[in-house]
């Protein structure tokens, strides 16, 4: 493979992740070529991607010399097995989060990735959310001073339990949305000293966790992560208090909803934040509120970085060691809720 040859990509799984996130982002990335999709729903793939081959299983993708990157977008229980198989076949791998069903499986994947010739990266796309990029800029520029409280919400209103694997998965909403919020917190502040989690199945008929309130303890900083399915008013996203001011943000990043609506990366409105956050400072005894210029969301940056890593020009955007920190916090949260105590890290 020359440095400028297109890298053939196979997406394994064509549910929400494969259809809404991976396939559109891969197609929008110069230097990547979406060669095949592994799916049991060929009609759905052909409706969206008429020129892309549909393969019946992962082995067919691993056997093809024109595929250098495998994207694992299947349910969590398959992530570790499929990632290891692809790495051992000499392929580079992107795997959706969480990149394994358990911490032990994640450690096994990381061990294989360390010795494999291909690049390994976990799809922590919300590092490139518009509001997170804006918040990170404000913190880096010292606009908020020393952060005392960082509160991150990802709430929804889904009072009825749906017949889907995500509503039955081990870890429930903590495994589903927790990796996003944990990764963002760790990117800003590093690994916590301890984890205290209150996890519960609150909806009638729920068998998996659908509410999570988690405290990540640092030295003086406190990070609060909240997610649940019974929030009719679910717009709150960030509450950040520091010695220099506060930042309050409502509304989720728009890139997922834009992709579902058929908008594609590169469109003029792609990644624009429809509800910028508010920065509040106390000046001369009064609150002064401003709206900092929002950054543009940039999910395509992830796959551009993967392409560059495969070409040897950059590190993997989310390497195994960073993803393992997220898995350790997830595991500590489950143990904390079961034992009703803080789990030190």
């Amino acid at each position: 493979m020359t440095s400028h040859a297109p890298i053939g990509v196979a997406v394994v799984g064509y549910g929400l992740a494969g259809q809404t996130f991976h396939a559109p982002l891969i197609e929008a990335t110069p230097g990547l070529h979406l060669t095949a999709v592994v799916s049991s729903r060929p009609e759905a793939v052909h409706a969206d991607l008429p020129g892309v081959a549909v393969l019946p299983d992962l082995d067919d993708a691993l056997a093809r010399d024109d595929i250098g990157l495998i994207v694992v977008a299947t349910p969590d229980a398959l992530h570790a097995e499929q990632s290891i198989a692809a790495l051992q076949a000499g392929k580079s791998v992107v795997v959706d989060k969480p990149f394994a069903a358990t911490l032990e499986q994640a450690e096994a994947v990381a061990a294989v990735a360390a010795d494999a010739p291909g690049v390994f990266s976990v799809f922590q796309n919300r590092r490139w959310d518009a509001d997170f990029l804006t918040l990170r800029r404000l913190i880096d520029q010292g606009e908020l001073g020393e952060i005392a409280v960082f509160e991150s919400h990802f709430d929804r209103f889904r009072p009825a339990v749906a017949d889907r694997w995500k509503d039955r998965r081990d870890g429930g909403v903590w495994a589903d949305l927790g990796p996003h919020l944990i990764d963002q917190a760790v990117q800003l502040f590093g690994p916590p000293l301890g984890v205290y989690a209150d996890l519960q199945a609150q909806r009638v008929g729920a068998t998996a966790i659908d509410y999570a309130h988690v405290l990540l303890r640092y030295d003086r900083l406190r990070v609060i992560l909240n997610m649940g399915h019974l929030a009719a008013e679910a717009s709150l996203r960030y509450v950040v208090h520091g010695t220099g001011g506060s930042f309050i943000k409502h509304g989720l990043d728009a890139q997922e909803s834009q992709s579902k609506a058929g908008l594609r990366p590169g469109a003029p409105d792609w990644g624009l934040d429809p509800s910028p956050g508010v920065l509040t400072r106390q000046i001369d005894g009064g609150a002064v509120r401003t709206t900092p210029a929002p950054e543009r969301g940039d999910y395509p940056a992830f796959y551009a970085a993967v392409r560059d890593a495969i070409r040897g020009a950059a590190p993997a955007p989310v390497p195994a060691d960073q993803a393992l920190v997220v898995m350790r916090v997830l595991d500590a949260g489950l143990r904390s809720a079961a034992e009703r105590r803080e789990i030190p890290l």
Side-chain angles (χ1 to χ4, degrees), residues 8 15 56 128 131 153 172 211 216 247 265 301 323:
W128 292 272
D131 48 14
H153 284 254
Y211 166 84
L216 306 184
F247 181 73

Side-chain angles (χ1 to χ4, degrees), residues 12 17 72-83 95-102 105-106 109 165-179 327 330:
V12 186
V72 179
T74 50
D76 305 351
L78 301 174
H79 286 182
E81 173 188 349
Q82 292 179 334
S83 295
V95 58
D96 222 303
K97 56 81 210 161
F99 76 103
T102 66
Q105 289 180 5
V109 174
W165 70 268
K166 284 190 174 183
D167 280 345
R168 299 186 299 270
R169 80 202 299 178
D170 291 340
V173 72
W174 177 231
D176 183 21
L177 303 179
M327 292 299 301
L330 279 175

Side-chain angles (χ1 to χ4, degrees), residues 292-307:
E295 298 289 330
R296 182 188 288 260
D298 193 12
Y299 289 173
F302 173 84
Y303 271 107
V306 170
R307 174 203 61 208

Side-chain angles (χ1 to χ4, degrees), residues 40 52 97 127 211 277 317 322 325:
S40 60
V52 175
K97 56 81 210 161
R127 293 187 186 185
Y211 166 84
Q322 294 181 10
V325 174

Side-chain angles (χ1 to χ4, degrees), residues 189-210:
F189 309 116
L193 300 173
V195 179
Y196 182 85
D198 180 14
L199 310 178
Q200 182 62 45
Q202 291 188 323
R203 292 176 297 174
V204 175
T207 59
I209 295 162
D210 56 17

Side-chain angles (χ1 to χ4, degrees), residues 171 174 182 194-200 209 211-217 223-227 328-344:
W174 177 231
I182 296 166
V195 179
Y196 182 85
D198 180 14
L199 310 178
Q200 182 62 45
I209 295 162
Y211 166 84
H213 183 79
V214 180
L215 175 67
L216 306 184
R217 179 176 60 82
V223 169
I224 299 164
L225 311 179
N226 203 90
M227 60 219 78
R328 292 186 182 110
V329 175
L330 279 175
D331 179 73
L334 293 173
R335 291 164 52 203
S336 171
E339 301 173 21
R340 297 188 179 184
R341 68 180 181 92
E342 180 185 276
I343 302 297

Side-chain angles (χ1 to χ4, degrees), residues 15-283:
L16 172 66
Q19 186 173 27
T20 301
F21 293 102
H22 298 289
L25 294 175
I26 292 164
E27 289 208 301
T29 304
L32 297 183
H33 177 253
L34 183 56
T35 304
V37 173
V38 177
S39 176
S40 60
R41 300 189 305 135
E43 66 289 344
V45 179
H46 288 315
D48 296 337
L49 307 164
V52 175
V54 179
L55 305 177
D57 57 46
L58 175 61
D59 288 342
D60 291 283
L62 299 183
R64 291 182 55 154
D65 293 334
D66 60 344
I67 293 173
L69 172 62
I70 299 292
V71 176
V72 179
T74 50
D76 305 351
L78 301 174
H79 286 182
E81 173 188 349
Q82 292 179 334
S83 295
I84 289 173
L87 288 166
Q88 291 178 335
K91 309 294 187 182
S92 293
V93 172
V94 165
V95 58
D96 222 303
K97 56 81 210 161
F99 76 103
T102 66
L103 176 58
E104 291 74 18
Q105 289 180 5
E107 290 170 339
V109 174
V112 173
D115 295 328
V119 168
F120 177 80
S121 190
V122 178
F123 187 62
Q124 290 286 359
N125 57 298
R126 291 194 178 275
R127 293 187 186 185
W128 292 272
D129 277 1
D131 48 14
F132 180 70
L133 293 172
T134 302
L135 175 59
R136 187 165 199 169
R137 184 193 78 219
L138 294 176
I139 292 174
D140 289 346
Q141 293 177 347
E143 297 286 349
L144 297 170
E146 181 181 355
I147 305 302
V149 176
F150 177 84
E151 189 173 331
S152 182
H153 284 254
F154 204 141
D155 299 314
R156 293 165 168 168
F157 188 60
R158 295 177 176 173
V161 178
D163 183 18
R164 58 182 196 144
W165 70 268
K166 284 190 174 183
D167 280 345
R168 299 186 299 270
R169 80 202 299 178
D170 291 340
V173 72
W174 177 231
D176 183 21
L177 303 179
H180 289 313
L181 304 193
I182 296 166
D183 185 70
Q184 288 186 343
V186 171
Q187 284 297 295
L188 292 175
F189 309 116
L193 300 173
V195 179
Y196 182 85
D198 180 14
L199 310 178
Q200 182 62 45
Q202 291 188 323
R203 292 176 297 174
V204 175
T207 59
I209 295 162
D210 56 17
Y211 166 84
H213 183 79
V214 180
L215 175 67
L216 306 184
R217 179 176 60 82
Y218 292 78
D219 184 11
R220 288 187 290 181
L221 166 69
R222 294 296 181 266
V223 169
I224 299 164
L225 311 179
N226 203 90
M227 60 219 78
H229 286 332
L230 288 176
E233 170 37 83
S235 67
L236 184 60
R237 183 65 184 91
Y238 293 120
V239 177
V240 188
H241 301 303
T243 57
S246 296
F247 181 73
I248 311 296
K249 173 67 170 66
H250 290 80
L252 286 175
D253 178 89
Q255 291 172 92
E256 178 178 350
S257 60
Q258 288 177 331
S259 183
K260 288 178 177 177
L263 200 68
R264 289 296 176 257
D269 292 340
W270 179 269
L272 295 182
D273 193 338
S275 54
V278 175
L279 175 64
T280 300
R281 295 188 179 94
Q282 291 289 333
I283 299 177

